[in-house]
């Protein structure tokens, strides 16, 4: 069946698609460089030290999302809402306040983690090192600021300044530095690699800040605007934070749990399989980077036809890409994992199970972004969080018996149920079909009066 695209939507979709392709180019380069980084680290470290790095990176990623206080998602929505309403100064103040909140929260969480680890070792001495916890602490604030700055710049229409410093330059610098040190006989430990990552990322943030100032983007933190901003947007920010924490936990908590319940070597195997499976969502994620502010803008302006068309484009393009990558993983996954070293090929079944869950993620489209951008962040946190939380509890019961394969199976099942549930909510309560069937809903979508 041929679907005819109305002329008033054609230009919109072409613009969104070409920007998504540009974003995909950055994300493909990012994925390749990230993969190269993990391969370099896995090849230059012992499995135990690489496990320390994987554990620390997963922990830092989760805590960095907590440090962001929901601001990366909030600014995408608030900037669009305020600018559509003609309140540009309020939108600028929101960017400044979000930056202040991220910095203060990042410092607080960093110091808290260090204090907890210090007290833990003081009263409960451990046989293994805890330096990977301190290494993770160094990464929290830079990762939180990198995520927030990226969202703030994308909300203002930037793509290259938003993504290149963190996604490209940092990921070139890190493996290059590791290889250079290795060439001089310096073999990094897991904690060393975490600290090096934090130092290089901080440098890239400084470069991004300099570039944004010269391009007239709003990014600087400003004291005195936070209190009023939090009174207006604090409740929303808390739910956006919870939603972001749940999503991040769904992508990283498994690695931490495997490391705690089994061993750090198994954590490294699971980490590599999960990061490899994540390559399936490259185009979906690249599209979401572009369409998040577009969905917010058109939805709050009452332009439901345009919002539905953008959503349908995202789900169709993202699923097609994910399906091709899944086929590659199913057929040659063990060969791909062997890049990390011969011992990591045992993660093939884990890779396939996790990939099935992510394939359903792509098939249901940008449902999370739609809920976050349209004022349904609380429903997202409750629905997605409850189902993934039950999956996490199942993992605790399953891992001692079935190991990393059991962890992957539980994650797959929970993700499938969660994605179907939030996609159904989007269709019934928001009026946007985020699934592959969304292309059919474009013809029947009706604009509404904003309010």
């Amino acid at each position: 069946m041929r679907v005819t695209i109305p002329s008033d939507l054609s230009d919109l979709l072409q613009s969104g698609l070409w920007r998504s392709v540009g974003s995909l180019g950055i994300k493909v380069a990012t994925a390749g460089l990230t993969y190269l980084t993990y391969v370099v680290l896995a090849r230059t470290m012992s499995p135990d030290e690489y496990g320390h790095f994987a554990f620390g990176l997963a922990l830092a990623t989760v805590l960095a999302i907590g440090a962001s206080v929901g601001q990366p998602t909030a600014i995408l929505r608030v900037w669009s809402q305020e600018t559509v309403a003609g309140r540009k100064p309020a939108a600028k103040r929101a960017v400044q306040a979000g930056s202040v909140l991220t910095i203060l929260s990042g410092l607080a969480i960093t110091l808290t983690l260090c204090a907890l680890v210090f007290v833990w070792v003081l009263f409960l001495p451990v046989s293994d090192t805890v330096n990977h916890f301190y290494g993770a602490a160094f990464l929290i604030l830079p990762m939180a600021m990198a995520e927030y700055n990226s969202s703030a710049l994308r909300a203002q229409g930037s793509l290259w300044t938003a993504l290149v410093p963190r996604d490209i330059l940092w990921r070139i610098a890190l493996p290059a530095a590791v290889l250079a040190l290795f060439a001089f006989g310096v073999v990094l430990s897991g904690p060393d690699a975490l600290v090096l990552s934090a130092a290089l990322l901080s440098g890239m943030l400084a470069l991004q800040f300099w570039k944004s100032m010269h391009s007239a983007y709003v990014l600087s933190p400003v004291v005195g605007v936070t209190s009023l901003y939090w009174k207006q947007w604090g409740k929303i920010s808390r739910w956006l934070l919870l939603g972001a924490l749940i999503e991040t936990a769904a992508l990283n908590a498994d690695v931490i749990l495997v490391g705690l319940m089994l061993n750090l070597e198994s954590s490294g195997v699971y980490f590599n399989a999960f990061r490899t499976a994540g390559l399936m969502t490259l185009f979906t994620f690249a599209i979401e980077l572009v369409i998040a502010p577009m969905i917010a803008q058109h939805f709050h302006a009452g332009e439901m036809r345009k919002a539905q068309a953008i959503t349908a484009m995202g789900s169709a393009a993202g699923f097609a890409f994910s399906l091709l990558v899944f086929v590659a993983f199913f057929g040659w996954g063990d060969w791909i994992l062997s890049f990390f070293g011969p011992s990591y090929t045992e993660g093939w079944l884990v890779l396939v199970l996790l990939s099935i869950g992510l394939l359903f993620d792509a098939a249901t489209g940008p449902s999370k972004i739609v809920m976050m951008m349209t004022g349904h962040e609380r429903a997202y946190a409750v629905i997605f969080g409850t189902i993934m939380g039950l999956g996490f509890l199942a993992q605790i019961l399953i891992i001692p018996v079935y190991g990393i394969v059991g962890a992957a199976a539980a994650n797959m099942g929970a993700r499938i149920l969660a994605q179907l549930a939030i996609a159904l909510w989007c269709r019934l309560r928001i009026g946007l079909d985020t699934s592959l069937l969304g292309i059919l809903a474009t013809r029947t979508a009706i604009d509404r009066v904003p309010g």
Side-chain angles (χ1 to χ4, degrees):
M1 180 181 65
R2 181 179 179 182
V3 178
T4 302
I5 301 176
S7 58
D8 64 325
L9 299 180
S10 179
D11 292 340
L12 175 71
L13 293 180
Q14 287 182 16
S15 173
L17 184 59
W18 280 116
R19 291 197 71 208
S20 297
V21 170
S23 179
L24 175 63
I26 295 175
K27 285 303 171 184
V28 167
T30 300
L33 292 169
T34 301
Y35 214 71
L36 175 63
T37 300
Y38 297 152
V39 169
V40 168
L41 289 170
R43 289 285 188 173
T44 57
M45 292 178 177
S46 67
D48 180 65
E49 286 300 334
Y50 184 72
H52 282 88
F53 169 78
F55 183 96
L57 181 61
L59 179 62
T61 301
V62 174
L63 294 180
I65 294 299
S68 69
V69 204
Q71 296 312 298
T73 308
I75 195 58
L76 288 170
R77 174 171 153 191
V78 173
W79 180 275
S80 296
Q81 233 174 295
E82 297 287 30
T83 52
V84 164
R87 298 188 292 265
K88 190 67 175 289
K92 291 181 178 180
R93 289 194 296 271
V95 174
Q96 296 162 346
S99 183
V100 172
L101 287 169
T102 303
I103 292 172
L104 294 178
S105 181
L107 290 173
I109 291 177
T110 297
L111 294 175
T112 300
L113 176 60
C114 291
L116 287 175
V117 174
F118 179 79
V119 172
W120 176 22
V121 174
L122 189 64
F123 292 99
L124 296 170
V126 294
S127 58
D128 193 13
T129 178
V130 295
N131 287 339
H132 51 296
F133 286 97
Y134 291 119
F138 276 96
L139 254 177
I140 293 171
L141 181 57
M143 291 185 78
M145 287 304 302
E147 186 67 22
Y148 177 74
N149 288 354
S150 174
S151 293
L153 289 169
R154 284 188 289 115
Q156 297 171 65
S158 166
L159 187 63
W160 296 98
T161 306
L163 300 181
V164 169
R166 178 189 65 172
D167 289 359
I168 302 297
L169 299 182
W170 177 46
R171 286 173 167 84
I172 291 176
L174 181 54
V178 171
L179 287 174
L181 290 170
F182 188 75
F184 284 99
V186 179
V187 179
L188 297 179
S189 66
D192 292 337
L194 292 168
V195 174
L196 178 62
S197 299
L200 293 173
L201 181 55
S202 298
M204 297 309 157
L205 288 175
L207 176 63
Q208 183 184 56
F209 184 76
W210 174 83
K211 177 62 176 175
S212 67
M213 289 184 62
H214 282 73
S215 301
Y217 293 120
V218 182
L219 203 59
S220 304
V222 173
V223 178
V225 298
T226 308
S227 178
L228 180 61
Y229 168 81
W230 191 254
K231 286 180 181 178
Q232 183 176 3
W233 301 103
K235 185 176 181 180
I236 292 174
S237 294
R238 286 191 288 270
W239 283 106
L240 292 173
L241 167 61
L242 181 58
L245 278 173
I246 291 168
E247 177 63 22
T248 305
L251 297 173
N252 294 278
D254 301 20
V255 177
I256 299 172
L257 193 60
V258 168
L260 293 174
M261 298 188 70
L262 296 177
N263 52 65
L264 289 173
E265 289 86 349
S266 296
S267 183
V269 173
Y270 195 93
F271 176 85
N272 286 341
F274 213 149
R275 289 299 185 270
T276 302
L279 297 177
M280 287 180 55
T281 61
L282 271 180
F283 202 13
T284 298
F285 185 52
I287 291 171
E288 288 179 351
L289 292 177
V290 173
I291 69 174
M294 296 173 70
I295 289 174
Q297 176 185 346
H298 293 302
F299 178 84
H300 292 291
E303 299 167 344
M304 298 298 287
R305 292 176 66 252
K306 291 183 177 180
Q308 178 60 65
I310 293 168
T311 302
M313 176 201 70
S315 59
F319 179 75
F321 180 90
S322 297
L323 184 60
L324 289 174
V325 179
F326 174 76
V327 172
F329 286 165
F330 188 84
W332 300 280
D334 53 349
W335 175 74
I336 295 171
L337 291 174
S338 70
F339 292 150
F340 295 100
S343 62
Y344 295 102
T345 57
E346 65 182 87
W348 176 82
L349 183 55
V350 173
L351 171 62
V352 171
L353 291 173
L354 294 172
S355 296
I356 292 173
L358 292 173
L359 189 62
F360 272 83
D361 195 330
T364 52
S367 49
K368 171 199 169 186
I369 289 298
V370 167
M371 294 185 76
M372 293 293 191
M373 294 297 104
T374 59
H376 294 79
E377 59 282 338
R378 180 172 182 174
Y380 170 80
V382 171
I383 297 171
F384 194 82
T386 299
I387 297 174
M388 295 305 294
L390 291 174
F392 186 74
L393 293 176
Q395 286 179 321
I396 295 176
L397 299 175
I398 292 173
I399 287 175
V401 181
Y402 297 102
I404 58 177
V405 174
N411 182 287
M412 175 194 70
R415 182 166 291 274
I416 290 172
L417 291 176
Q419 288 298 142
L420 291 174
I422 61 175
L424 186 62
W425 177 278
C426 289
R427 182 69 184 91
L428 298 179
R429 301 298 296 270
I430 303 176
L432 294 175
D433 191 336
T434 64
S435 73
L436 292 173
L437 300 177
I439 188 67
L440 302 178
T442 302
R443 296 182 296 177
T444 59
I446 300 174
D447 291 344
R448 57 172 176 76
V449 178

